[in-house]
C-alpha cells in the first residue's frame, strides 16, 4: 500500500535528521524542566506574613528562614489591608479559628506561608506532646516513691497521681484567596496547558516544515505524478509524523509524572488520549498552513499567528473575564479544548464522558483540516 | 491506435493562455521530440498530457483514456524538468520508494531497479545518499525512476541536460530499444541532436505548433540541412505571418 511506503520514507528521513529528533524529543522536556524550576523552587523566596491578634506561641513558631512575621493592630478588613500594603498574607485569630487571607498573586509566596503555618502547628503539637510526657514522667516518679513508702510503712497513703496533660490548641485554619485558588501552585496550573501546547507546537512545526520541504523540493509534485491518491499522501503523513508525535507525547507524560512527581488525579490513559488528539490537530493544521508558506522562514512567521495566541485562550486567563467576542475566538482554538480537558483530568479527575465533548471538537477540527489539505493538493494535480 | 491523441487543446494558467490549438497524434513505438524556446509551453503540454492540468478546451486522450485520470499515471514513466528526489535517502531507497508509489510488483522490483540503474550507469553509486550526488548523477537517477515501472509511455522533460556525450549515446540506445519494443516516448529538449533522433518533432513557439513532422520531412519541407535551421526558419515564418495579420 502506498500509504505504508510514505510512512516508511518519513521514518527514514526523520531518523536520519538528528537535529529534528533532538528538537522534537528533548526540546519539550527542556522547556518543561525550565518552567518547573522557575515556579517550583521556593527555597529562595522570602516573604512577610502579617498577623493580628494571634497567640504569641504560634507567632514564635511561625518564624523561619523564609518567613518574617509582623504584628499589626489595624482593624480594617483583611482584603483592604493586603491591597493597600501589598502584603502576601494576613493571619487573624478568633478563639481556635485562624483565618488566613492570601493575596496569591505570587503563588510561591502563598506556598511559603501555608507551609510555615503547617510547620508551626506541628511544632506546637510536638512541644505540647513533649510537655505531656514530662508531666507523665513526674507522676510516675511520684507513684514509685509512694509505692516505696508503702512497702516501708503499712499505712497506705492513697495517692491519686493525676498527670496534668498539656494540650495544644487545635487551631482550625480557614484560608481565603484574593486571586486564584488553593490548588494553584503555578506549575500545577501551567502544566496541563503547557503539555498540550508543547505537543501542539512541535508537531505543528515539524510536520508543517516537512511538507513544505517536500513542496519546495518538487518531490510533492513528483509524488502526485504517480497514481497515488491525495488522501493516501495525507494519511501517510498523518501516520508517519503521528508516530513520532505519539512517542513525544508519551515522553512528556512520563517525564511529568516521574520527574516532577506531578499527581494526576484522573486516568493517565485520558491524558495520553488528549495529547494524541492535540498532536493530530497540530499535524493537520501544520500541513495545511504549510501550503501558505513558500519557505521555512515564512512558516516561522505563522507561529506568532497560529501557535502563540492559543496560550492565552487556554485557561491561563479565565474565559469568563473576557468580552464575548474574545470568548468566541477562544472556542476556535484547539488548545482551549485540549488544555481544558487536560486540566480537568489532571486536577479534578474528570472521566471520559466529561471531556468527551472537548475531544469531539478536537476530532472534528482534525477532520476539517485533513479535508482542506486534501483539497489544497489539487493545486498540483487536478484529479 | 494512437497512444497520445490531442485535439484542439487550449491550455493556460488562470486567465493567461499558454497553448493554443494544439493537435498531436503519437502512435505506439514512436519517439516524439518537443522543441521550442524557453517558456514556449513545453512543460505545460507535458503536464497536460500527464493529467496534472485539466485542458481548458479540447481533449487529451492517453492510452485510450480521457485525461486527467489518476489511474493512468501508473502506466506513465515521468521524469520532471527539475530533479525531485529525496536527498536524505540513498538512490536505492529513492528507487524503492518510487517503485512502491508507481505500484511495481514486489517480485520484479529488485530486477527493475538493477536494470534502470544500469541504463544510467548508477549501479556502483546506489547506496550513496542523494545529497552527495552531482547534478548529472541526480539527473540520471531521475531518469532511472522514470524507467522503473517499465511503462508503455515515457514522458521525459529535458532528459539530456547535464548528461555527458558518452552516456547520452547509451541512453539513446536504450530509448530506441524501448521504442522498438513498442513503447512510446515523448521528450522535450533544447538539443537539436536529440530532436534528430526522434521519429516525430513538434515545434512550439508562442503557444502555437509551428512545425510538425518527421525530421526528414521537415528538412525537405524547409529545404535546409539541420533541424536547428528548421527551427529558426519556422520561427521567422511565424513572426512574418503575425506581422501580416
Ligand atoms: N504554474 C504556473 N503558473 C503560471 N504560469 C506558468 C506556470 N508554469 C508555467 N507558466 C508560464 O507558462 C509559460 C510556459 O511555461 P513552460 O514551463 O511550459 O515552458 P517551457 O517550454 O517548458 O520552458 P523551458 O524550456 O524553459 O522549460 C511560461 O510563460 C510560464 O511563465
Ligand atoms: Mg519546461
Amino acid at each position: 500500500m502506498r500509504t505504508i511506503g510514505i510512512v516508511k520514507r518519513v521514518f527514514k528521513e526523520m531518523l536520519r535528521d538528528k537535529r529534528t529528533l533532538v528538537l522534537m524529543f528533548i526540546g519539550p522536556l527542556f522547556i518543561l524542566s525550565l518552567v518547573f524550576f522557575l515556579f517550583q523552587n521556593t527555597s529562595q523566596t522570602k516573604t512577610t506574613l502579617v498577623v493580628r491578634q494571634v497567640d504569641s506561641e504560634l507567632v514564635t513558631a511561625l518564624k523561619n528562614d523564609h518567613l518574617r512575621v509582623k504584628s499589626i493592630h489595624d482593624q480594617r478588613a483583611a482584603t483592604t489591608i493586603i491591597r493597600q500594603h501589598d502584603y502576601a498574607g494576613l493571619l487573624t485569630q478568633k478563639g481556635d479559628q485562624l483565618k488566613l487571607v492570601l493575596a496569591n498573586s505570587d503563588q510561591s509566596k502563598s506556598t511559603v506561608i501555608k507551609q510555615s503555618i503547617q510547620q508551626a502547628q506541628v511544632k506546637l503539637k510536638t512541644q505540647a506532646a513533649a510537655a505531656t510526657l514530662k508531666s507523665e514522667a513526674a507522676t510516675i516518679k511520684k507513684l514509685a516513691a509512694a509505692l516505696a513508702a508503702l512497702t516501708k510503712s503499712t499505712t497506705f497513703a492513697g495517692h491519686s497521681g493525676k498527670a496534668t496533660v498539656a494540650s495544644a490548641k487545635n487551631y482550625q485554619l480557614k484560608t481565603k484567596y484574593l486571586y486564584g485558588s488553593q490548588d494553584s501552585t503555578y506549575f500545577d496550573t501551567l502544566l496541563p496547558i503547557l503539555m498540550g501546547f508543547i505537543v501542539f507546537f512541535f508537531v505543528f512545526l515539524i510536520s508543517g516544515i516537512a511538507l513544505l520541504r517536500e513542496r519546495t523540493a518538487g518531490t510533492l509534485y513528483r509524488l502526485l505524478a504517480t497514481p497515488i491518491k491525495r488522501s493516501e499522501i495525507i494519511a501517510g503523513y498523518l501516520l508517519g509524523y503521528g508516530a513520532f508525535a505519539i512517542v513525544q507525547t508519551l515522553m512528556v507524560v512520563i517525564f511529568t509524572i516521574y520527574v516532577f512527581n506531578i499527581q494526576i488525579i484522573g486516568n493517565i490513559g485520558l491524558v495520553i488520549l488528549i495529547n494524541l488528539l492535540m498532536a493530530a490537530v497540530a499535524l493537520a493544521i501544520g500541513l495545511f498552513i504549510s501550503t501558505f508558506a513558500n519557505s521555512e522562514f515564512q512558516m516561522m512567521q505563522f507561529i506568532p499567528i497560529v501557535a502563540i495566541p492559543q496560550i492565552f485562550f487556554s485557561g491561563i486567563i479565565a474565559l469568563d473575564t473576557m468580552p464575548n467576542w474574545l470568548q468566541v475566538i477562544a472556542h476556535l482554538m484547539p488548545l482551549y479544548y485540549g488544555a481544558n480537558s487536560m486540566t480537568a483530568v489532571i486536577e479534578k479527575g474528570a472521566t471520559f464522558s466529561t471531556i468527551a465533548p472537548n475531544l469531539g471538537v478536537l476530532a472534528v477540527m482534525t477532520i476539517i483540516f485533513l479535508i482542506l489539505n486534501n483539497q489544497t493538493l489539487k493545486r498540483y494535480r487536478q484529479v | 491506435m494512437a497512444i497520445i491523441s490531442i485535439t484542439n487543446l487550449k491550455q493556460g494558467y488562470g486567465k493567461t493562455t499558454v497553448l493554443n490549438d494544439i493537435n498531436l497524434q503519437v502512435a505506439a513505438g514512436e519517439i516524439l521530440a518537443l522543441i521550442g524556446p524557453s517558456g514556449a509551453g513545453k512543460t505545460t503540454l507535458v503536464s497536460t498530457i500527464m493529467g496534472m492540468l485539466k485542458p481548458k478546451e479540447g481533449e487529451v486522450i492517453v492510452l485510450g483514456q480521457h485525461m486527467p485520470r489518476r489511474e493512468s499515471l501508473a502506466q506513465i514513466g515521468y521524469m520532471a524538468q527539475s530533479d525531485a528526489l529525496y536527498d536524505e535517502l540513498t538512490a536505492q531507497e529513492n528507487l524503492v520508494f518510487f517503485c512502491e508509489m508507481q505500484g511495481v510488483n514486489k517480485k520484479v522490483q529488485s530486477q527493475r531497479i538493477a536494470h534502470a540503474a544500469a541504463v544510467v550507469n548508477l549501479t556502483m553509486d546506489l547506496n550513496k545518499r542523494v545529497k552527495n550526488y552531482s547534478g548529472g548523477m541526480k539527473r540520471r537517477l531521475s531518469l532511472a525512476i522514470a524507467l522503473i515501472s517499465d511503462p508503455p509511455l515515457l514522458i521525459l522533460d529535458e532528459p539530456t541536460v547535464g548528461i555527458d556525450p558518452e552516456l547520452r549515446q547509451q541512453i539513446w540506445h536504450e530509448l530506441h530499444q524501448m521504442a522498438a519494443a513498442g513503447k512510446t516516448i515523448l521528450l522535450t529538449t533544447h538539443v537539436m541532436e536529440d530532436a534528430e533522433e526522434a521519429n516525430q518533432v513538434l515545434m512550439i513557439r508562442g503557444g502555437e505548433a509551428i512545425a510538425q513532422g518527421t525530421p526528414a520531412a521537415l528538412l525537405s519541407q524547409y529545404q535546409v540541412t539541420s533541424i536547428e535551421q528548421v527551427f529558426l526558419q519556422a520561427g521567422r515564418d511565424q513572426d512574418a505571418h503575425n506581422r501580416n495579420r
Side-chain angles (χ1 to χ4, degrees):
Chain A
M1 226 182 91
R2 298 195 171 88
T3 301
I4 304 291
I6 296 201
V7 172
K8 282 195 289 187
R9 199 206 80 219
V10 166
F11 275 24
K12 276 182 201 150
E13 285 183 322
M14 272 296 268
L15 292 175
R16 277 171 204 180
D17 187 352
K18 297 286 181 283
R19 199 164 38 140
T20 303
L21 275 187
V22 169
L23 181 75
M24 191 162 185
F25 294 133
I26 310 298
L29 306 189
F30 177 72
I31 296 176
L32 276 173
S33 307
L34 266 187
V35 177
F36 177 75
F37 288 120
L38 198 62
F39 291 110
Q40 273 299 288
N41 194 353
T42 51
S43 67
Q44 299 304 315
T45 311
K46 243 188 153 163
T47 188
T48 309
L49 174 66
V50 186
V51 295
R52 190 168 70 194
Q53 290 152 0
V54 173
D55 291 344
S56 60
E57 311 93 73
L58 183 57
V59 172
T60 325
L62 273 173
K63 285 180 183 150
N64 63 40
D65 288 350
H66 301 300
L67 193 71
R68 281 182 301 263
V69 182
K70 187 178 160 195
S71 288
I72 54 160
H73 301 284
D74 193 335
Q75 288 303 323
R76 285 178 300 164
T79 38
T80 321
I81 298 172
I82 289 180
R83 289 228 171 89
Q84 187 178 349
H85 298 282
D86 204 16
Y87 292 133
L90 176 74
L91 186 68
T92 49
Q93 185 181 6
K94 226 185 230 153
D96 311 353
Q97 296 281 327
L98 289 178
K99 195 173 160 225
L100 175 65
V101 181
L102 290 170
N104 209 28
S105 52
D106 180 342
Q107 281 145 344
S108 57
K109 285 186 179 164
S110 301
T111 310
V112 167
I113 292 176
K114 281 190 286 184
Q115 278 174 355
S116 302
I117 292 177
Q118 262 176 7
Q119 283 165 8
Q121 279 178 298
V122 173
K123 224 192 261 173
L124 289 180
K125 279 198 183 126
T126 39
Q127 276 171 11
T132 310
L133 274 177
K134 232 182 185 169
S135 86
E136 271 171 355
T139 312
I140 288 166
K141 234 181 189 166
K142 268 186 206 158
L143 274 176
L147 211 62
L150 195 68
T151 47
K152 276 182 189 160
S153 68
T154 47
T155 48
F156 180 58
H159 188 90
S160 71
K162 189 169 171 274
T164 48
V165 177
S167 71
K169 247 191 202 151
N170 236 339
Y171 292 110
Q172 303 281 318
L173 181 67
K174 266 197 185 153
T175 315
K176 189 187 159 197
Y177 298 85
L178 287 195
Y179 310 104
S181 73
Q182 59 174 348
D183 304 322
S184 28
T185 76
Y186 213 68
F187 189 67
D188 287 346
T189 319
L190 262 187
L191 179 81
I193 296 168
L194 209 57
M195 229 202 278
F197 178 73
I198 282 175
V199 169
F200 181 89
F201 181 76
F202 281 95
V203 173
F204 168 80
L205 198 61
I206 288 167
S207 64
I209 287 185
L211 188 67
L212 181 77
R213 265 192 216 157
E214 177 128 43
R215 231 153 37 80
T216 49
T219 46
L220 183 61
Y221 183 84
R222 181 63 190 84
L223 195 53
L224 283 163
T226 71
I228 195 169
K229 287 186 188 135
R230 280 175 280 131
S231 56
E232 286 175 318
I233 298 182
I234 303 282
Y237 262 75
L238 196 63
L239 294 178
Y241 287 97
F244 285 94
I246 289 173
V247 176
Q248 187 201 44
T249 304
L250 290 179
M251 280 179 75
V252 168
V253 173
I254 290 171
F255 194 74
T256 346
I257 295 174
Y258 290 100
V259 180
F260 300 146
N261 262 326
I262 292 299
Q263 198 196 353
I264 294 182
I265 298 174
N267 190 333
I268 293 182
L270 282 181
V271 173
I272 294 174
L273 180 68
I274 298 166
N275 272 319
L276 289 184
L277 270 168
M278 283 307 288
V281 178
L283 194 59
I285 296 182
L287 297 183
F288 180 68
I289 291 294
S290 81
T291 48
F292 299 104
N294 290 317
S295 65
E296 269 120 330
F297 181 56
Q298 286 186 358
M299 187 71 196
M300 293 294 173
Q301 294 166 2
F302 279 105
I303 292 174
I305 297 171
V306 177
I308 306 291
Q310 301 216 32
I311 299 181
F312 301 110
F313 291 95
S314 60
I316 285 187
I317 300 167
L319 207 64
D320 43 25
T321 63
M322 293 179 191
N324 282 340
W325 64 276
L326 275 182
Q327 293 190 23
V328 171
I329 291 183
H331 284 85
L332 297 175
M333 309 248 172
L335 193 60
Y336 167 76
Y337 300 96
N340 268 352
S341 316
M342 199 83 87
T343 309
V345 172
I346 293 184
E347 291 181 357
K348 303 189 193 100
T351 56
F352 179 76
S353 52
T354 323
I355 58 168
N358 279 345
L359 298 186
V361 174
L362 288 179
V364 168
M365 282 182 170
T366 309
I367 291 167
I368 290 175
F369 277 101
L370 288 180
I371 292 172
L372 285 176
N373 278 319
N374 207 28
Q375 292 303 307
T376 51
L377 282 184
K378 277 195 178 167
R379 252 172 51 186
Y380 301 95
R381 186 182 74 192
Q382 293 174 347
V383 283
Chain B
M1 189 200 72
I3 296 295
I4 301 174
S5 165
I6 299 176
T7 40
N8 303 326
L9 172 71
K10 184 176 161 188
Q11 186 59 287
Y13 302 92
K15 286 206 168 64
T16 57
T17 303
V18 174
L19 295 172
N20 225 333
D21 202 22
I22 303 286
N23 290 282
L24 178 67
Q25 302 284 321
V26 188
E30 258 195 329
I31 300 178
L32 172 94
L34 205 54
I35 60 176
S38 180
K42 300 183 294 296
T43 301
T44 305
L45 181 56
V46 161
S47 304
T48 309
I49 294 171
M50 302 267 310
M52 305 297 276
L53 297 171
K54 252 187 210 143
K56 283 222 149 118
E57 279 172 30
E59 63 176 11
V60 177
I61 299 172
V62 174
L63 296 158
Q65 303 278 356
H66 279 269
M67 297 303 275
R69 182 170 175 270
R70 182 180 58 79
E71 292 84 353
S72 294
L73 291 169
Q75 295 167 52
I76 302 176
Y78 174 57
M79 175 179 182
Q81 182 169 1
S82 53
D83 298 307
L85 303 162
Y86 295 100
D87 280 352
E88 287 300 324
L89 304 188
T90 64
Q92 170 80 22
E93 286 165 340
N94 269 281
L95 288 166
V96 170
F97 175 71
F98 280 104
C99 273
E100 288 167 348
M101 295 302 113
Q102 204 67 39
V104 174
N105 191 329
K106 263 237 165 355
K107 286 183 206 131
V108 295
Q109 188 171 298
S110 56
Q111 170 208 333
R112 289 276 176 75
I113 291 177
H115 174 76
V119 171
V120 296
N121 269 357
L122 279 179
T123 310
M124 303 309 289
D125 299 298
L126 278 184
N127 291 320
K128 263 194 198 166
R129 298 257 181 106
V130 171
K131 66 175 173 197
N132 298 326
Y133 264 30
S134 72
M137 287 166 92
K138 286 185 187 168
R139 213 65 208 121
R140 280 142 65 194
L141 180 58
S142 298
L143 179 56
I145 288 172
L147 299 176
I148 202 106
S149 59
D150 194 24
L153 174 60
L154 265 184
I155 294 183
L156 312 174
D157 204 348
E158 306 201 9
T160 51
V161 171
I163 287 186
D164 60 85
E166 201 184 328
L167 188 63
R168 192 182 147 266
Q169 241 182 14
Q170 184 182 328
I171 289 172
W172 267 112
H173 177 74
E174 175 70 20
L175 292 182
H176 282 303
Q177 265 191 350
M178 290 175 69
K183 313 226 138 105
T184 309
I185 300 163
L186 186 155
L187 57 96
T188 74
T189 184
H190 287 290
V191 183
M192 294 306 145
E193 286 90 339
D194 286 338
E196 280 158 14
E197 298 266 2
N199 306 108
Q200 202 193 152
V201 179
L202 172 64
M203 277 181 207
I204 301 181
R205 192 164 174 271
E208 286 168 33
I210 54 168
Q212 194 166 1
T214 64
L218 287 173
L219 293 183
S220 65
Q221 182 190 339
Y222 284 86
Q223 311 249 306
V224 289
T225 52
S226 73
I227 292 291
E228 185 160 1
Q229 287 165 314
V230 174
F231 182 61
L232 296 173
Q233 188 56 48
R236 270 179 236 123
D237 290 355
Q238 185 192 23
D239 289 343
H241 180 82
N242 286 347
R243 265 197 303 276
N244 295 340
R245 240 190 339 206

